[in-house]
Amino acid sequence: MELKTTVYQKTNTSKIDKLLKESLNDMFNSRFLAKQLAIRDIKAQYRQSFLGIIWAFITPLSTALVWIILSKSGTVKLSDTGVPYPVFVFAGTLLWSIVTDSINAPMSNTNGARGILTKINFPKEALILSGVYKLISNSIVKILLLLIFLIVYGVGFHSSILLFPLAFIGIIFFGTTIGLFITPLGMLYNDVGKIIGMGLSFLMYATPVVYSIPKTGLLKTLMEINPLTPLLLTTRNLLFGQNIDYLAYYLGVFAVCIPLFFVGLVFYRISIPIIVERMSA
């Protein structure tokens, strides 16, 4: 009688778990290094700039100003936003700048460290954390100006504003998750960064950044499908004390985003050493 032989093989799940645990440990242990890198980059960012930290909110302010002029002149007719339009559009462009910065931060930080990546062995996760530190630092200035807008235009403060910091961190978390996946490709091909920039420019107009969601039409459908819509709307509505219309979609986006973040960390940890080795070859 012939005996059946069964061979048990160890799966790769334990290896992935190990990589994820190491990545999280390195991120936690490299907090001081990430902080120092962030301080260095922030100082270098404004050292040779005449306007200094003002550049942090010039871009969203200038974009908002264009739409305010278009709205006031009657060139563009916009639906009611529930709050004074200058506040609405500045909040939207400011939050959108945080979205784009958080998506680009892992790639720009890792690319900016090319010189030391090939010479010094250190936890690469420090670069991700450093990017988050810089984002929060630069965003605080923008948010302070936005709060002044709320006072000047009589919007005032509501109890829901207490949840705004959580939603703000959520935007950074979402953007960083996407950034983890595009960073390795961006290091290999410079075209990736340009494509992402162009794509985000077009995507802005399929997101309720400078105008409300239309009541009918194709643009309404695109905006409601767009996962950035609930992120932006929920964060802005918490700031204004308005109703949260897409809460279920908002929570669903983060339910998907959390496991993707861990997958992105593993992908980043595996791919970056390979790319560094290729650069130093």
Side-chain angles (χ1 to χ4, degrees):
M1 180 177 179
E2 185 178 352
L3 296 176
K4 182 180 180 181
T5 303
T6 304
V7 178
Y8 295 93
Q9 293 182 341
K10 190 175 181 180
T11 63
N12 291 328
T13 306
S14 59
K15 184 178 180 181
I16 294 174
D17 292 343
K18 181 181 177 182
L19 287 170
L20 178 58
K21 185 177 180 180
E22 289 174 351
S23 182
L24 292 172
N25 284 337
D26 282 349
M27 182 176 287
F28 181 80
N29 293 329
S30 62
R31 298 188 312 279
F32 179 76
L33 174 59
K35 181 181 176 181
Q36 295 303 113
L37 289 172
I39 292 173
R40 181 204 64 179
D41 291 344
I42 291 171
K43 287 181 177 179
Q45 184 178 356
Y46 299 117
R47 186 179 296 121
Q48 296 181 336
S49 173
F50 177 74
L51 295 178
I53 202 167
I54 295 175
W55 283 110
F57 52 80
I58 279 182
T59 300
L61 191 60
S62 60
T63 304
L65 185 60
V66 170
W67 282 92
I68 291 170
I69 293 172
L70 290 174
S71 175
K72 292 291 184 183
S73 65
T75 305
V76 176
K77 292 184 178 181
L78 302 168
S79 57
D80 181 46
T81 58
V83 295
Y85 186 68
V87 182
F88 178 88
V89 71
F90 181 64
T93 53
L94 187 150
L95 292 174
W96 184 256
S97 72
I98 295 173
V99 169
T100 56
D101 287 347
S102 61
I103 291 174
N104 289 319
M107 182 168 59
S108 61
N109 256 33
T110 309
N111 263 325
R114 280 176 180 265
I116 60 174
L117 280 172
T118 56
K119 298 175 183 177
I120 303 173
N121 185 22
F122 66 96
K124 312 304 183 292
E125 288 77 7
L127 299 173
I128 301 171
L129 198 55
S130 172
V132 173
Y133 286 158
K134 287 193 294 182
L135 269 172
I136 293 175
S137 175
N138 290 333
S139 299
I140 286 174
V141 180
K142 301 176 183 179
I143 292 171
L144 288 175
L145 181 61
L146 178 56
L147 295 179
I148 294 173
F149 265 61
L150 294 182
I151 297 172
V152 171
Y153 284 92
V155 177
F157 301 126
H158 303 80
S159 57
S160 61
I161 201 173
L162 297 175
L163 296 175
F164 174 79
L166 292 177
F168 161 70
I169 295 298
I171 286 178
I172 293 179
F173 177 72
F174 178 87
T176 302
T177 299
I178 297 176
L180 289 174
F181 288 98
I182 65 176
T183 295
L185 294 175
M187 292 189 69
L188 288 173
Y189 308 104
N190 292 330
D191 295 343
V192 172
K194 297 177 181 178
I195 293 171
I196 295 297
M198 290 176 58
L200 288 173
S201 297
F202 284 109
L203 189 60
M204 174 180 168
Y205 297 102
T207 311
V209 176
V210 294
Y211 41 75
S212 301
I213 298 178
K215 294 182 180 180
T216 58
L218 178 61
L219 189 57
K220 177 181 185 295
T221 304
L222 290 176
M223 283 189 173
E224 291 182 337
I225 294 174
N226 183 357
L228 289 173
T229 293
L231 293 181
L232 195 98
L233 280 184
T234 301
T235 307
R236 186 165 53 192
N237 289 354
L238 286 173
L239 190 64
F240 296 159
Q242 296 177 328
N243 294 330
I244 310 299
D245 297 324
Y246 293 87
L247 182 59
Y249 192 12
Y250 179 83
L251 296 175
V253 168
F254 280 103
V256 174
C257 191
I258 290 172
L260 282 179
F261 174 75
F262 295 132
V263 173
L265 275 180
V266 173
F267 179 62
Y268 184 89
R269 188 174 184 86
I270 293 173
S271 59
I272 295 303
I274 297 173
I275 295 172
V276 170
E277 183 180 348
R278 178 176 172 176
M279 289 189 302
S280 59

